[in-house]
Amino acid sequence: MKIKKIISLLTTINIYNLPIKKSQSYASNIYSEKYIRDQEEPFRSNSYFGSSDKDYEYKSGNIPILISAPHTVKQLRKNEYKKADIYTGALVKILHQSTGAHIIYKTSTNGDENYTIDETKYRKKVKEIVKKNNIKVVIDLHGMASDKDSDIDIGTGNASNTNLLGQSYILSLVVGSLNNVNYTVNKFFTGGGPKTMSTYCSKKLGVPTLQLEINRKYRSSDSTNFSFIANKLTKMINELVN
Ligand SMILES: [Zn+2]
């Protein structure tokens, strides 16, 4: 118990000392169970309906990559509530710290940003961030169930990577960074439908966009599993920037 507490404290100190600037390449951070849970708390409170009056939260970064997490809380699709992609909220906040990427995520339940053709408040903000910061790649972060035989399913729109807008080398870079990860490409979710964030960002905003679906196995406060995926995604983003 005591040792756990010390490790947790050290991790917390380490995290607060992390530079917001480009992270040290391939550093392996161990995030404590408590730290991960604390990051997820604002989403989990109020049964994942969100507890904020605000529709979304945006945190400005210093690299030309935007990570969007539209399912951090429950969504309303066709008058039915859909489950949140739990721990994508904790993950996106930690990736902001570890990479300096711009991030945007939902803080209240209304509609479904990944199932609409409307230019919602969230999408308008994404548009503004992209324009203002000359964003080169958007990553739309999601979660898939644990029965999927994949750690990360990478969605590029379709087999010809339509959402990468001719820049298929982005997929090669991403795949290259995922050594010892059991990834798949467009196996379960392509992000290619007309109502997705990926389609909005690529077709409407002209930015190559990847949809990443993270297996539930890595989306909990389990320190080992969560840290593993957070470090892999940090490496992926660092390599995209370089
Ligand atoms: Zn989702």
Side-chain angles (χ1 to χ4, degrees), residues 64-67 134-139 170 207-210 240:
I65 290 184
L66 170 66
I67 312 172
N134 198 17
I135 296 297
K136 298 280 198 283
V137 178
V138 173
I139 294 171
I170 291 172
V207 186
T209 305
L210 293 162
L240 272 177

Side-chain angles (χ1 to χ4, degrees), residues 70-71 75 85 114 141-143 213:
H71 290 167
Q75 312 100 55
D85 294 348
N114 209 34
L141 190 67
H142 291 266
E213 294 274 352

Side-chain angles (χ1 to χ4, degrees), residues 217-232:
K217 177 181 165 191
Y218 297 100
R219 293 183 292 112
S220 75
S221 59
D222 180 272
S223 176
T224 307
N225 282 349
F226 187 95
S227 300
F228 174 80
I229 215 71
N231 287 323
K232 286 292 173 190

Side-chain angles (χ1 to χ4, degrees), residues 10-27:
L10 285 173
T11 310
T12 309
I13 290 164
N14 177 33
I15 284 155
Y16 287 127
N17 285 337
L18 268 183
I20 288 279
K21 279 212 164 140
K22 200 186 287 172
S23 110
Q24 53 283 62
S25 357
Y26 319 150

Side-chain angles (χ1 to χ4, degrees), residues 73-133:
V73 294
K74 285 176 180 160
Q75 312 100 55
L76 193 54
R77 186 189 285 194
K78 295 177 182 164
N79 291 322
E80 271 182 43
Y81 288 115
K82 282 197 73 213
K83 279 187 198 165
D85 294 348
I86 68 168
Y87 284 89
T88 56
L91 190 54
V92 76
K93 288 195 281 182
I94 285 172
L95 291 174
H96 170 68
Q97 293 292 331
S98 66
T99 67
H102 296 260
I103 60 167
I104 185 167
Y105 52 87
K106 289 287 279 193
T107 49
S108 65
T109 296
N110 58 57
D112 184 345
E113 304 298 340
N114 209 34
Y115 195 78
T116 183
I117 49 165
D118 298 338
E119 196 162 70
T120 59
K121 273 194 235 170
Y122 184 92
R123 288 182 169 196
K124 276 184 186 145
K125 186 66 184 177
V126 167
K127 185 183 188 175
E128 183 196 307
I129 300 163
V130 161
K131 296 255 149 76
K132 239 184 167 169
N133 301 282

Side-chain angles (χ1 to χ4, degrees), residues 132-158:
K132 239 184 167 169
N133 301 282
N134 198 17
I135 296 297
K136 298 280 198 283
V137 178
V138 173
I139 294 171
D140 199 42
L141 190 67
H142 291 266
M144 61 181 173
S146 57
D147 61 355
K148 301 283 192 296
D149 175 29
S150 169
D151 293 341
I152 301 181
D153 196 35
I154 305 163
T156 63
N158 59 19

